[in-house]
């Protein structure tokens, strides 16, 4: 008599092993098929990017309202309920700076928000409506620059810049005259003869950019040369005023926001290293300090995101309900106050030292990190200027 054998359960399509869950214990392949409707694919994409499930409910409220709680949960090994620290920080970093960029791009850049520029500004030449106004503004600015160059107290090192500014004023005036279909302003032979030597030494902006550093790879030197050329072009456009100035500033802002996420990603391990140095005797692993840094920055980015969203809401509501706008302003002020208090409480609860030592280290760590962030942002600004 044949013996009855129980039928096998689900089998892994990859290695043939019997499945006992949603993943194969032999090869790790998921039981879910990739052949599915588009709606299911979108759900999976959202889950892959941000874990759009109950983890948000378990992660965001304690992260914002309970300093150090989420970090201590990770230290204790309770992780599955929460969004991973790096993903949390990275997603909110992108969202926060997206809204900051949106807010800045909504503002008028490089001008006076529709107000007439001052007569001693090159932008005033670009706003002139008639050729007579252009020539009048040119003569006024040229006279001021000439008097400044001939003043006895002006250092000789400043004269090349004043002379370049005088040339720039004439170029801007001629550009506006060309737009108005008028005759250009001719160069003054006396000025050209008197400052020919100065202009030869001040021709950095007009010379081709060549970078020749023997110990750097050719690809790096070429990239540096391109960046310096872009930097010079942006400076010239800013000095020219008018639409070109606004275009250059907008391009530099776009470049700044394109490098900010990478800059802050570099600062995360730097901040963790600072924590490691200041808490060297607490016998914590560097990875624990990394988690502290990730949760700290995630909190700051969530706060920044909330402030920007509330700012947009206040601008939309205030014209119709002034009281509601005042309430939002109070909420924003409370959020600003909560940010440093949160970081202090988090540092106290995670590292478990007394208040005097915690306050001292909080001030020292904050000071060191502030200057490092300022330096990193300055480098990012320089890179953005060469965008």
């Amino acid at each position: 008599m044949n013996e009855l054998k129980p039928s096998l359960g689900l089998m892994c399509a990859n290695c043939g092993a019997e499945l006992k869950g949603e993943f194969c214990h032999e090869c790790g392949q998921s039981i879910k098929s990739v052949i599915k409707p588009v709606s299911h694919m979108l759900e999976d994409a959202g889950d892959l990017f941000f874990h759009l499930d109950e983890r948000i409910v378990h992660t965001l409220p304690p992260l914002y309202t309970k300093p150090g709680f989420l970090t201590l949960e990770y230290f204790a090994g309770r992780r599955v309920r929460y969004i991973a620290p790096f993903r949390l920080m990275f997603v909110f970093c992108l969202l926060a700076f997206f809204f900051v960029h949106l807010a800045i791009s909504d503002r008028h850049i490089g001008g006076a928000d529709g107000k007439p520029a001052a007569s001693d500004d090159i932008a005033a030449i670009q706003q002139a409506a008639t050729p007579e106004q252009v020539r009048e503004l040119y003569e006024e600015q040229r006279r001021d620059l000439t008097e400044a160059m001939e003043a006895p107290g002006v250092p000789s090192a400043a004269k090349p810049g004043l002379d370049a500014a005088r040339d720039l004023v004439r170029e801007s005036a001629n550009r506006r005259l060309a737009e108005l279909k008028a005759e250009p302003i001719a160069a003054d032979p006396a000025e050209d003869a008197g400052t020919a030597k100065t202009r030869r030494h001040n021709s950095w902006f007009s010379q081709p950019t060549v970078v020749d550093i023997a110990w750097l790879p050719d690809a790096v030197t070429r990239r540096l040369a391109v960046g310096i050329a872009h930097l010079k072009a942006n400076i010239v456009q800013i000095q020219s005023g008018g639409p070109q100035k606004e275009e250059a500033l907008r391009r530099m802002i776009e470049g700044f926001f394109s490098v900010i996420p990478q800059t802050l990603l570099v600062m995360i391990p730097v901040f963790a290293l600072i924590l490691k140095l200041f808490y060297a005797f607490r016998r914590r692993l560097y990875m624990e300090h990394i988690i502290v840094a990730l949760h700290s920055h995630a909190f700051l980015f969530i706060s920044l995101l909330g402030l920007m969203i509330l700012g947009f809401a206040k601008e939309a509501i205030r014209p119709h309900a002034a009281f509601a706008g005042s309430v939002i302003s109070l909420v924003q002020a409370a959020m600003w106050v909560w940010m440093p208090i949160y970081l202090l409480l988090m540092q106290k609860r995670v590292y478990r030292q007394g208040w005097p030592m915690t306050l001292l280290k909080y001030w020292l760590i904050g000071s060191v990190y502030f200057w490092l962030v300022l330096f990193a942002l300055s480098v990012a600004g320089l890179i953005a200027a060469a965008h």
Side-chain angles (χ1 to χ4, degrees):
M1 189 175 189
N2 293 333
E3 183 181 356
L4 295 176
K5 295 182 179 180
S7 62
L8 297 175
L10 292 176
M11 310 295 292
C12 176
N14 184 56
C15 65
E18 184 179 359
L19 294 174
K20 297 183 181 299
E22 294 187 356
F23 296 88
C24 176
H25 66 279
E26 291 288 344
C27 65
Q29 179 170 284
S30 173
I31 67 173
K32 296 179 180 180
S33 173
V34 297
I35 310 299
K36 57 182 67 177
V38 174
S39 59
H40 291 182
M41 292 177 62
L42 294 176
E43 292 177 5
D44 289 344
D47 180 70
L48 178 65
F49 181 66
F50 197 70
H51 280 289
L52 294 175
D53 51 23
E54 69 277 2
R55 298 186 190 188
I56 293 181
V57 179
H58 294 152
T59 302
L60 295 189
L63 176 65
Y64 193 80
T65 60
K66 297 181 179 180
F69 172 81
L70 208 60
T71 304
L72 293 174
E73 286 285 279
Y74 261 78
F75 288 174
R78 296 184 286 269
R79 303 184 300 270
V80 71
R81 301 178 66 201
Y82 309 110
I83 301 172
F86 178 80
R87 178 175 295 175
L88 184 69
M89 186 279 303
F90 184 70
V91 169
F92 278 103
C93 172
L94 294 179
L95 289 175
F97 282 103
F98 169 76
F99 277 94
V100 172
H101 190 192
L102 196 65
I104 292 178
S105 63
D106 192 43
R107 301 290 189 271
H108 185 77
I109 299 174
D113 294 329
K115 298 179 181 178
S119 60
D120 59 350
D121 190 348
I122 292 181
I125 296 178
Q126 296 297 323
Q127 296 176 3
T130 63
E132 291 74 18
Q133 292 179 358
V134 173
R135 292 188 173 88
E136 181 180 349
L137 289 169
Y138 164 74
E139 289 297 333
E140 180 181 347
Q141 296 186 24
R142 185 193 65 81
R143 184 173 59 254
D144 292 341
L145 290 169
T146 302
E147 291 176 356
M149 288 182 63
E150 295 174 352
V154 176
S156 58
K159 292 184 178 181
L162 292 172
D163 184 57
R166 190 165 56 185
D167 286 344
L168 192 62
V169 169
R170 187 173 65 225
E171 291 175 6
S172 179
N174 284 336
R175 189 181 306 114
R176 182 56 180 160
L177 288 172
E179 294 173 356
L180 296 173
K181 297 180 172 56
E183 291 293 327
I185 299 172
D188 190 338
E191 290 180 0
D192 288 347
T195 59
K197 182 178 179 180
T198 299
R199 286 170 186 164
R200 283 197 299 269
H201 290 286
N202 197 46
S203 58
W204 182 71
F205 288 99
S206 59
Q207 289 178 352
T209 303
V210 178
V211 177
D212 186 12
I213 304 176
W215 52 272
L216 284 179
D218 292 341
V220 176
T221 56
R222 286 196 298 269
R223 185 67 188 90
L224 285 174
V226 171
I228 294 173
H230 290 170
L231 174 63
K232 293 194 292 187
N234 287 333
I235 292 175
V236 170
Q237 284 189 322
I238 290 174
Q239 291 176 335
S240 299
Q244 293 189 10
K245 176 181 178 180
E246 185 171 347
E247 179 186 352
L249 288 174
R250 192 175 298 278
R251 185 165 56 244
M252 292 167 64
I253 290 174
E254 294 283 349
F256 182 74
F257 280 97
S258 68
V259 299
I260 274 290
Q262 300 93 306
T263 304
L264 293 175
L265 286 179
V266 173
M267 296 307 296
I268 295 292
V270 173
F271 182 65
L273 180 60
I274 297 173
L275 292 174
K276 178 69 173 177
L277 293 175
F278 276 90
Y279 288 98
F281 298 105
R282 303 303 293 177
R283 299 185 180 278
R284 289 194 178 275
L285 298 175
Y286 180 68
M287 185 52 66
E288 293 178 283
H289 299 297
I290 286 284
I291 294 175
V292 174
L294 288 171
H295 281 153
S296 301
H297 285 75
F299 163 76
L300 292 175
F301 292 138
I302 290 173
S303 300
L304 180 60
L305 177 61
L307 288 168
M308 298 308 303
I309 293 175
L310 287 175
F312 286 128
K314 181 172 65 176
E315 290 184 0
I317 293 174
R318 176 169 284 176
H320 309 286
F323 176 75
S326 301
V327 172
I328 293 176
S329 297
L330 290 176
V331 173
Q332 287 179 307
M335 292 176 66
W336 281 112
V337 173
W338 175 235
M339 290 165 70
I341 294 175
Y342 177 99
L343 297 176
L344 175 61
L345 294 175
M346 180 179 182
Q347 186 173 325
K348 176 71 171 64
R349 292 173 181 174
V350 171
Y351 294 104
R352 302 170 189 254
Q353 285 190 324
W355 276 110
M357 187 60 68
T358 298
L359 288 170
L360 176 62
K361 290 186 176 181
Y362 179 76
W363 178 73
L364 292 173
I365 292 171
S367 301
V368 172
Y369 191 58
F370 170 79
W371 289 108
L372 288 175
V373 169
L374 190 63
F375 173 76
L377 293 179
S378 300
V379 174
L382 184 61
I383 296 174
H387 186 67

mmCIF file of all heavy atoms in Angstrom, residues 15-52:
data_model
loop_
_atom_site.group_PDB
_atom_site.id
_atom_site.type_symbol
_atom_site.label_atom_id
_atom_site.label_comp_id
_atom_site.label_asym_id
_atom_site.label_seq_id
_atom_site.Cartn_x
_atom_site.Cartn_y
_atom_site.Cartn_z
ATOM 1 N N CYS A 15 15.668 28.987 -5.923
ATOM 2 C CA CYS A 15 16.514 27.847 -5.539
ATOM 3 C C CYS A 15 15.726 26.586 -5.235
ATOM 4 O O CYS A 15 16.322 25.527 -4.992
ATOM 5 C CB CYS A 15 17.364 28.230 -4.324
ATOM 6 S SG CYS A 15 16.412 28.553 -2.826
ATOM 7 N N GLY A 16 14.390 26.656 -5.211
ATOM 8 C CA GLY A 16 13.567 25.470 -4.973
ATOM 9 C C GLY A 16 13.375 25.106 -3.527
ATOM 10 O O GLY A 16 12.731 24.090 -3.234
ATOM 11 N N ALA A 17 13.898 25.862 -2.585
ATOM 12 C CA ALA A 17 13.730 25.548 -1.163
ATOM 13 C C ALA A 17 12.299 25.846 -0.729
ATOM 14 O O ALA A 17 11.618 26.689 -1.312
ATOM 15 C CB ALA A 17 14.720 26.359 -0.340
ATOM 16 N N GLU A 18 11.860 25.113 0.318
ATOM 17 C CA GLU A 18 10.507 25.329 0.823
ATOM 18 C C GLU A 18 10.450 26.666 1.551
ATOM 19 O O GLU A 18 11.321 26.988 2.365
ATOM 20 C CB GLU A 18 10.116 24.208 1.769
ATOM 21 C CG GLU A 18 8.679 24.320 2.269
ATOM 22 C CD GLU A 18 8.312 23.180 3.197
ATOM 23 O OE1 GLU A 18 9.170 22.304 3.434
ATOM 24 O OE2 GLU A 18 7.163 23.180 3.688
ATOM 25 N N LEU A 19 9.401 27.407 1.266
ATOM 26 C CA LEU A 19 9.266 28.736 1.852
ATOM 27 C C LEU A 19 8.522 28.656 3.175
ATOM 28 O O LEU A 19 7.534 27.932 3.310
ATOM 29 C CB LEU A 19 8.521 29.667 0.889
ATOM 30 C CG LEU A 19 9.250 29.998 -0.420
ATOM 31 C CD1 LEU A 19 8.339 30.797 -1.341
ATOM 32 C CD2 LEU A 19 10.514 30.789 -0.131
ATOM 33 N N LYS A 20 9.009 29.429 4.151
ATOM 34 C CA LYS A 20 8.367 29.483 5.454
ATOM 35 C C LYS A 20 8.048 30.925 5.867
ATOM 36 O O LYS A 20 7.817 31.193 7.032
ATOM 37 C CB LYS A 20 9.269 28.836 6.505
ATOM 38 C CG LYS A 20 9.530 27.360 6.268
ATOM 39 C CD LYS A 20 10.365 26.768 7.380
ATOM 40 C CE LYS A 20 10.634 25.291 7.123
ATOM 41 N NZ LYS A 20 9.387 24.484 7.068
ATOM 42 N N GLY A 21 8.088 31.825 4.939
ATOM 43 C CA GLY A 21 7.807 33.226 5.226
ATOM 44 C C GLY A 21 7.782 34.011 3.924
ATOM 45 O O GLY A 21 7.615 33.440 2.834
ATOM 46 N N GLU A 22 7.952 35.307 4.029
ATOM 47 C CA GLU A 22 7.908 36.146 2.833
ATOM 48 C C GLU A 22 9.238 36.162 2.084
ATOM 49 O O GLU A 22 9.312 36.700 0.991
ATOM 50 C CB GLU A 22 7.523 37.578 3.218
ATOM 51 C CG GLU A 22 6.097 37.697 3.750
ATOM 52 C CD GLU A 22 5.685 39.133 3.970
ATOM 53 O OE1 GLU A 22 6.551 40.024 3.775
ATOM 54 O OE2 GLU A 22 4.511 39.387 4.308
ATOM 55 N N PHE A 23 10.285 35.581 2.693
ATOM 56 C CA PHE A 23 11.586 35.528 2.052
ATOM 57 C C PHE A 23 12.152 34.116 2.182
ATOM 58 O O PHE A 23 11.928 33.435 3.188
ATOM 59 C CB PHE A 23 12.571 36.535 2.679
ATOM 60 C CG PHE A 23 12.170 37.971 2.505
ATOM 61 C CD1 PHE A 23 11.350 38.601 3.417
ATOM 62 C CD2 PHE A 23 12.606 38.686 1.395
ATOM 63 C CE1 PHE A 23 10.968 39.925 3.259
ATOM 64 C CE2 PHE A 23 12.236 40.008 1.219
ATOM 65 C CZ PHE A 23 11.416 40.622 2.154
ATOM 66 N N CYS A 24 12.879 33.701 1.171
ATOM 67 C CA CYS A 24 13.510 32.387 1.190
ATOM 68 C C CYS A 24 14.670 32.390 2.181
ATOM 69 O O CYS A 24 15.539 33.267 2.132
ATOM 70 C CB CYS A 24 14.014 32.025 -0.208
ATOM 71 S SG CYS A 24 14.925 30.454 -0.273
ATOM 72 N N HIS A 25 14.691 31.379 3.105
ATOM 73 C CA HIS A 25 15.764 31.337 4.088
ATOM 74 C C HIS A 25 17.071 30.818 3.500
ATOM 75 O O HIS A 25 18.111 30.876 4.150
ATOM 76 C CB HIS A 25 15.353 30.459 5.274
ATOM 77 C CG HIS A 25 15.195 29.004 4.919
ATOM 78 N ND1 HIS A 25 14.055 28.513 4.326
ATOM 79 C CD2 HIS A 25 16.042 27.953 5.066
ATOM 80 C CE1 HIS A 25 14.190 27.204 4.118
ATOM 81 N NE2 HIS A 25 15.385 26.841 4.555
ATOM 82 N N GLU A 26 17.047 30.336 2.257
ATOM 83 C CA GLU A 26 18.269 29.845 1.611
ATOM 84 C C GLU A 26 18.959 30.940 0.787
ATOM 85 O O GLU A 26 20.158 31.173 0.929
ATOM 86 C CB GLU A 26 17.926 28.653 0.709
ATOM 87 C CG GLU A 26 17.509 27.403 1.451
ATOM 88 C CD GLU A 26 18.688 26.738 2.160
ATOM 89 O OE1 GLU A 26 19.842 27.078 1.812
ATOM 90 O OE2 GLU A 26 18.451 25.912 3.055
ATOM 91 N N CYS A 27 18.197 31.603 -0.088
ATOM 92 C CA CYS A 27 18.811 32.591 -0.988
ATOM 93 C C CYS A 27 18.354 34.023 -0.717
ATOM 94 O O CYS A 27 18.929 34.966 -1.261
ATOM 95 C CB CYS A 27 18.532 32.241 -2.448
ATOM 96 S SG CYS A 27 16.777 32.340 -2.905
ATOM 97 N N GLY A 28 17.316 34.202 0.114
ATOM 98 C CA GLY A 28 16.879 35.550 0.467
ATOM 99 C C GLY A 28 15.912 36.193 -0.502
ATOM 100 O O GLY A 28 15.495 37.335 -0.291
ATOM 101 N N GLN A 29 15.511 35.512 -1.575
ATOM 102 C CA GLN A 29 14.609 36.108 -2.552
ATOM 103 C C GLN A 29 13.206 36.248 -1.972
ATOM 104 O O GLN A 29 12.721 35.374 -1.253
ATOM 105 C CB GLN A 29 14.565 35.264 -3.818
ATOM 106 C CG GLN A 29 13.617 35.809 -4.889
ATOM 107 C CD GLN A 29 13.762 35.107 -6.215
ATOM 108 O OE1 GLN A 29 14.718 35.349 -6.936
ATOM 109 N NE2 GLN A 29 12.829 34.210 -6.530
ATOM 110 N N SER A 30 12.544 37.363 -2.289
ATOM 111 C CA SER A 30 11.191 37.602 -1.825
ATOM 112 C C SER A 30 10.207 36.739 -2.598
ATOM 113 O O SER A 30 10.426 36.389 -3.771
ATOM 114 C CB SER A 30 10.838 39.085 -1.990
ATOM 115 O OG SER A 30 9.473 39.307 -1.691
ATOM 116 N N ILE A 31 9.086 36.402 -1.943
ATOM 117 C CA ILE A 31 8.062 35.620 -2.626
ATOM 118 C C ILE A 31 7.223 36.490 -3.544
ATOM 119 O O ILE A 31 6.469 35.981 -4.366
ATOM 120 C CB ILE A 31 7.151 34.899 -1.613
ATOM 121 C CG1 ILE A 31 6.331 35.917 -0.817
ATOM 122 C CG2 ILE A 31 7.953 34.000 -0.690
ATOM 123 C CD1 ILE A 31 5.280 35.275 0.077
ATOM 124 N N LYS A 32 7.341 37.808 -3.403
ATOM 125 C CA LYS A 32 6.547 38.714 -4.224
ATOM 126 C C LYS A 32 7.100 38.738 -5.639
ATOM 127 O O LYS A 32 8.311 38.843 -5.846
ATOM 128 C CB LYS A 32 6.561 40.118 -3.632
ATOM 129 C CG LYS A 32 5.906 40.209 -2.258
ATOM 130 C CD LYS A 32 5.964 41.624 -1.720
ATOM 131 C CE LYS A 32 5.326 41.725 -0.348
ATOM 132 N NZ LYS A 32 5.391 43.110 0.181
ATOM 133 N N SER A 33 6.218 38.686 -6.601
ATOM 134 C CA SER A 33 6.622 38.723 -8.001
ATOM 135 C C SER A 33 6.777 40.162 -8.477
ATOM 136 O O SER A 33 6.078 41.066 -8.006
ATOM 137 C CB SER A 33 5.569 38.014 -8.862
ATOM 138 O OG SER A 33 5.866 38.174 -10.243
ATOM 139 N N VAL A 34 7.717 40.360 -9.403
ATOM 140 C CA VAL A 34 7.893 41.691 -9.988
ATOM 141 C C VAL A 34 6.900 41.933 -11.110
ATOM 142 O O VAL A 34 6.779 43.059 -11.602
ATOM 143 C CB VAL A 34 9.330 41.866 -10.523
ATOM 144 C CG1 VAL A 34 10.331 41.783 -9.393
ATOM 145 C CG2 VAL A 34 9.657 40.825 -11.593
ATOM 146 N N ILE A 35 6.191 40.909 -11.546
ATOM 147 C CA ILE A 35 5.175 41.051 -12.584
ATOM 148 C C ILE A 35 3.863 41.389 -11.879
ATOM 149 O O ILE A 35 3.194 40.519 -11.316
ATOM 150 C CB ILE A 35 5.029 39.761 -13.424
ATOM 151 C CG1 ILE A 35 6.392 39.288 -13.910
ATOM 152 C CG2 ILE A 35 4.067 39.988 -14.568
ATOM 153 C CD1 ILE A 35 7.104 40.295 -14.790
ATOM 154 N N LYS A 36 3.515 42.669 -11.855
ATOM 155 C CA LYS A 36 2.356 43.121 -11.101
ATOM 156 C C LYS A 36 1.795 44.378 -11.736
ATOM 157 O O LYS A 36 2.458 45.010 -12.575
ATOM 158 C CB LYS A 36 2.746 43.399 -9.657
ATOM 159 C CG LYS A 36 3.854 44.416 -9.504
ATOM 160 C CD LYS A 36 4.237 44.615 -8.043
ATOM 161 C CE LYS A 36 4.866 43.373 -7.486
ATOM 162 N NZ LYS A 36 5.316 43.565 -6.085
ATOM 163 N N PRO A 37 0.589 44.785 -11.392
ATOM 164 C CA PRO A 37 0.018 46.024 -11.939
ATOM 165 C C PRO A 37 0.853 47.240 -11.565
ATOM 166 O O PRO A 37 1.617 47.231 -10.594
ATOM 167 C CB PRO A 37 -1.368 46.090 -11.299
ATOM 168 C CG PRO A 37 -1.677 44.694 -10.885
ATOM 169 C CD PRO A 37 -0.362 44.060 -10.544
ATOM 170 N N VAL A 38 0.675 48.323 -12.342
ATOM 171 C CA VAL A 38 1.429 49.546 -12.112
ATOM 172 C C VAL A 38 1.127 50.128 -10.736
ATOM 173 O O VAL A 38 2.012 50.660 -10.060
ATOM 174 C CB VAL A 38 1.120 50.580 -13.218
ATOM 175 C CG1 VAL A 38 1.791 51.912 -12.911
ATOM 176 C CG2 VAL A 38 1.575 50.054 -14.569
ATOM 177 N N SER A 39 -0.125 50.026 -10.268
ATOM 178 C CA SER A 39 -0.479 50.564 -8.953
ATOM 179 C C SER A 39 0.336 49.902 -7.849
ATOM 180 O O SER A 39 0.794 50.561 -6.911
ATOM 181 C CB SER A 39 -1.971 50.374 -8.698
ATOM 182 O OG SER A 39 -2.319 48.988 -8.751
ATOM 183 N N HIS A 40 0.561 48.599 -7.959
ATOM 184 C CA HIS A 40 1.371 47.903 -6.958
ATOM 185 C C HIS A 40 2.836 48.317 -7.068
ATOM 186 O O HIS A 40 3.539 48.391 -6.050
ATOM 187 C CB HIS A 40 1.233 46.392 -7.147
ATOM 188 C CG HIS A 40 -0.123 45.873 -6.789
ATOM 189 N ND1 HIS A 40 -0.458 44.538 -6.834
ATOM 190 C CD2 HIS A 40 -1.243 46.523 -6.381
ATOM 191 C CE1 HIS A 40 -1.712 44.380 -6.475
ATOM 192 N NE2 HIS A 40 -2.218 45.584 -6.197
ATOM 193 N N MET A 41 3.291 48.578 -8.272
ATOM 194 C CA MET A 41 4.678 49.024 -8.442
ATOM 195 C C MET A 41 4.894 50.383 -7.788
ATOM 196 O O MET A 41 5.942 50.634 -7.176
ATOM 197 C CB MET A 41 5.020 49.091 -9.936
ATOM 198 C CG MET A 41 5.069 47.730 -10.615
ATOM 199 S SD MET A 41 5.380 47.864 -12.395
ATOM 200 C CE MET A 41 6.992 48.633 -12.383
ATOM 201 N N LEU A 42 3.900 51.284 -7.902
ATOM 202 C CA LEU A 42 4.018 52.588 -7.265
ATOM 203 C C LEU A 42 4.036 52.453 -5.744
ATOM 204 O O LEU A 42 4.769 53.162 -5.051
ATOM 205 C CB LEU A 42 2.862 53.501 -7.707
ATOM 206 C CG LEU A 42 2.859 53.892 -9.187
ATOM 207 C CD1 LEU A 42 1.621 54.720 -9.511
ATOM 208 C CD2 LEU A 42 4.118 54.672 -9.542
ATOM 209 N N GLU A 43 3.237 51.529 -5.211
ATOM 210 C CA GLU A 43 3.253 51.295 -3.773
ATOM 211 C C GLU A 43 4.622 50.789 -3.316
ATOM 212 O O GLU A 43 5.154 51.217 -2.291
ATOM 213 C CB GLU A 43 2.169 50.286 -3.390
ATOM 214 C CG GLU A 43 0.741 50.812 -3.572
ATOM 215 C CD GLU A 43 -0.286 49.744 -3.251
ATOM 216 O OE1 GLU A 43 0.126 48.654 -2.806
ATOM 217 O OE2 GLU A 43 -1.483 50.009 -3.438
ATOM 218 N N ASP A 44 5.200 49.882 -4.072
ATOM 219 C CA ASP A 44 6.522 49.359 -3.722
ATOM 220 C C ASP A 44 7.584 50.449 -3.814
ATOM 221 O O ASP A 44 8.513 50.485 -2.999
ATOM 222 C CB ASP A 44 6.891 48.193 -4.646
ATOM 223 C CG ASP A 44 6.055 46.950 -4.361
ATOM 224 O OD1 ASP A 44 5.430 46.914 -3.286
ATOM 225 O OD2 ASP A 44 6.031 46.035 -5.204
ATOM 226 N N ALA A 45 7.457 51.330 -4.825
ATOM 227 C CA ALA A 45 8.432 52.418 -4.954
ATOM 228 C C ALA A 45 8.348 53.353 -3.758
ATOM 229 O O ALA A 45 9.375 53.794 -3.212
ATOM 230 C CB ALA A 45 8.190 53.188 -6.260
ATOM 231 N N GLY A 46 7.126 53.673 -3.315
ATOM 232 C CA GLY A 46 6.975 54.507 -2.126
ATOM 233 C C GLY A 46 7.525 53.851 -0.892
ATOM 234 O O GLY A 46 8.177 54.481 -0.050
ATOM 235 N N ASP A 47 7.319 52.541 -0.757
ATOM 236 C CA ASP A 47 7.845 51.820 0.395
ATOM 237 C C ASP A 47 9.369 51.773 0.363
ATOM 238 O O ASP A 47 10.034 51.900 1.397
ATOM 239 C CB ASP A 47 7.281 50.404 0.405
ATOM 240 C CG ASP A 47 7.785 49.596 1.586
ATOM 241 O OD1 ASP A 47 7.384 49.903 2.715
ATOM 242 O OD2 ASP A 47 8.592 48.679 1.373
ATOM 243 N N LEU A 48 9.944 51.594 -0.833
ATOM 244 C CA LEU A 48 11.398 51.561 -0.946
ATOM 245 C C LEU A 48 12.011 52.907 -0.609
ATOM 246 O O LEU A 48 13.061 52.978 0.042
ATOM 247 C CB LEU A 48 11.779 51.164 -2.383
ATOM 248 C CG LEU A 48 13.278 51.132 -2.700
ATOM 249 C CD1 LEU A 48 13.957 50.043 -1.891
ATOM 250 C CD2 LEU A 48 13.506 50.901 -4.192
ATOM 251 N N PHE A 49 11.346 53.988 -1.003
ATOM 252 C CA PHE A 49 11.917 55.317 -0.790
ATOM 253 C C PHE A 49 11.758 55.788 0.646
ATOM 254 O O PHE A 49 12.655 56.381 1.235
ATOM 255 C CB PHE A 49 11.255 56.316 -1.745
ATOM 256 C CG PHE A 49 11.783 57.713 -1.636
ATOM 257 C CD1 PHE A 49 13.088 57.995 -2.003
ATOM 258 C CD2 PHE A 49 10.975 58.731 -1.170
ATOM 259 C CE1 PHE A 49 13.580 59.275 -1.905
ATOM 260 C CE2 PHE A 49 11.465 60.015 -1.072
ATOM 261 C CZ PHE A 49 12.773 60.288 -1.445
ATOM 262 N N PHE A 50 10.606 55.527 1.254
ATOM 263 C CA PHE A 50 10.346 56.135 2.557
ATOM 264 C C PHE A 50 9.644 55.201 3.547
ATOM 265 O O PHE A 50 9.372 55.599 4.664
ATOM 266 C CB PHE A 50 9.476 57.391 2.358
ATOM 267 C CG PHE A 50 9.479 58.316 3.540
ATOM 268 C CD1 PHE A 50 10.604 59.034 3.857
ATOM 269 C CD2 PHE A 50 8.351 58.443 4.334
ATOM 270 C CE1 PHE A 50 10.613 59.884 4.931
ATOM 271 C CE2 PHE A 50 8.355 59.297 5.423
ATOM 272 C CZ PHE A 50 9.492 60.016 5.716
ATOM 273 N N HIS A 51 9.397 53.961 3.174
ATOM 274 C CA HIS A 51 8.634 53.053 4.023
ATOM 275 C C HIS A 51 7.302 53.691 4.425
ATOM 276 O O HIS A 51 7.045 53.984 5.590
ATOM 277 C CB HIS A 51 9.434 52.662 5.266
ATOM 278 C CG HIS A 51 10.442 51.593 5.010
ATOM 279 N ND1 HIS A 51 10.105 50.291 4.768
ATOM 280 C CD2 HIS A 51 11.789 51.649 4.950
ATOM 281 C CE1 HIS A 51 11.196 49.567 4.578
ATOM 282 N NE2 HIS A 51 12.234 50.376 4.671
ATOM 283 N N LEU A 52 6.466 53.946 3.406
ATOM 284 C CA LEU A 52 5.189 54.624 3.655
ATOM 285 C C LEU A 52 4.201 53.647 4.310
ATOM 286 O O LEU A 52 3.280 53.155 3.693
ATOM 287 C CB LEU A 52 4.623 55.162 2.335
ATOM 288 C CG LEU A 52 5.448 56.277 1.691
ATOM 289 C CD1 LEU A 52 4.853 56.639 0.343
ATOM 290 C CD2 LEU A 52 5.490 57.498 2.583
#
